Amino acid sequence: MRKASGHNKKEGAVKKGAWSKQEDQKLVDYIRKHGQGCWRSLPRAAGLLRCGKSCRLRWMNYLRPDLKRGNFGDDEEDLIIKLHALLGNRWSLIAGRLPGRTDNEIKNYWNTHLRRKLIQRGIDPDNHRLGCHTAGPSNLPKWELVSHGDEEDQEADSVTVCSSEASGLSAPLPDLNLDLTIGLPFVSGNKFHAEQIQLGC
DNA sequence: AAGCTTAGCAACCGCCTCCCA
DNA sequence: CTGGGAGGCGGTTGCTAAGCT
């Protein structure tokens, strides 16, 4: 079905592809009883022919009880756009600001909906700078800086100020004024517990 | 109605980081 | 200090459903 993986060399005959209802049920039942614990040993203990990574992904993205499925609201869309402008493709951090949403879901939504939306508004989705020219989705638009006069400076990672009126965004990006103290509801371990992002722009 | 194209999304892959012995 | 194992992350793939001709 999918490409053979080199990283399953120790996994024996692991199943790949879409999850069945029975597999989902086994995973949910096991985690309800025993908690998440060690993902590597979980599949065997739960009676699943999956690798630990696959189980983790399935649980995190679809089976967790606190997930909010369904369409993104306008406020969520707006928040994702603003967070992406600040954080880039740090999907897990963005997901941390959207309770009930997963990084994978946000990433997919960005790539399929929001990217296109920004392009139609004439905004480069990669750097959130206002582009000009026609924003035809099929052609790669040419982007130009809004406020940087120095052409040599185009690769600099300074934040470019886009006019909110021109860009169609509800607020100019550097004035987002978001409190980006990351309270991560789903991060386990101590990796990000103290992580805070101060908005410096 | 059938075939083709495109969009959406679930899932995989490989790399990176952290932890621990 | 170092190396291996495990978890986590972002990029990418490929299946499927919807829309179009």
Side-chain angles (χ1 to χ4, degrees), chain A residues 1-199:
Chain A
M1 195 172 183
R2 294 178 193 276
K3 274 193 293 184
S5 150
H7 91 310
N8 284 324
K9 51 196 171 204
K10 295 180 188 171
E11 298 285 352
V14 287
K15 193 180 165 202
K16 291 185 181 179
W19 280 64
S20 67
K21 296 240 183 225
Q22 289 87 348
E23 288 177 306
D24 281 347
Q25 197 55 53
K26 278 184 183 178
L27 184 56
V28 169
D29 287 346
Y30 182 86
I31 291 178
R32 272 192 192 138
K33 271 186 192 168
H34 304 96
Q36 292 175 23
C38 171
W39 287 112
R40 189 170 171 77
S41 57
L42 185 147
R44 180 188 290 253
L48 290 162
L49 294 172
R50 297 273 180 172
C51 68
K53 271 189 163 186
S54 183
C55 293
R56 178 188 162 273
L57 198 71
R58 185 67 183 169
W59 173 256
M60 293 295 191
N61 287 338
Y62 301 98
L63 300 176
R64 253 172 25 195
D66 54 344
L67 288 181
K68 181 205 291 186
R69 309 289 307 187
N71 295 339
F72 283 76
D74 289 344
D75 51 336
E76 285 179 305
E77 273 191 14
D78 224 37
L79 186 55
I80 292 169
I81 291 169
K82 288 172 182 172
L83 288 168
H84 186 272
L86 292 160
L87 300 169
N89 295 353
R90 309 282 298 277
W91 305 116
S92 59
L93 287 179
I94 294 172
R97 298 289 297 181
L98 287 135
R101 300 296 188 183
T102 69
D103 54 354
N104 205 36
E105 196 178 10
I106 292 169
K107 177 172 59 183
N108 281 332
Y109 192 71
W110 173 266
N111 287 328
T112 55
H113 295 89
L114 296 180
R115 250 186 111 79
R116 194 167 303 137
K117 208 174 227 182
L118 289 186
I119 288 171
Q120 278 168 1
R121 290 176 182 172
I123 301 167
D124 182 354
D126 294 327
N127 57 23
H128 294 262
R129 291 174 181 175
L130 183 66
C132 68
H133 307 290
T134 55
S138 53
N139 299 341
L140 284 176
K142 293 172 183 168
W143 306 105
E144 65 181 36
L145 297 178
V146 174
S147 62
H148 284 281
D150 192 350
E151 287 118 353
E152 306 171 320
D153 213 14
Q154 289 192 2
E155 292 303 302
D157 53 358
S158 59
V159 175
T160 298
V161 178
C162 296
S163 151
S164 61
E165 289 169 272
S167 72
L169 281 177
S170 57
L173 292 178
D175 297 332
L176 294 175
N177 206 17
L178 289 170
D179 170 17
L180 278 186
T181 301
I182 304 292
L184 296 164
F186 310 125
V187 175
S188 59
N190 57 4
K191 198 170 169 183
F192 293 113
H193 278 179
E195 182 163 0
Q196 291 190 332
I197 295 183
Q198 297 288 342
L199 252 189

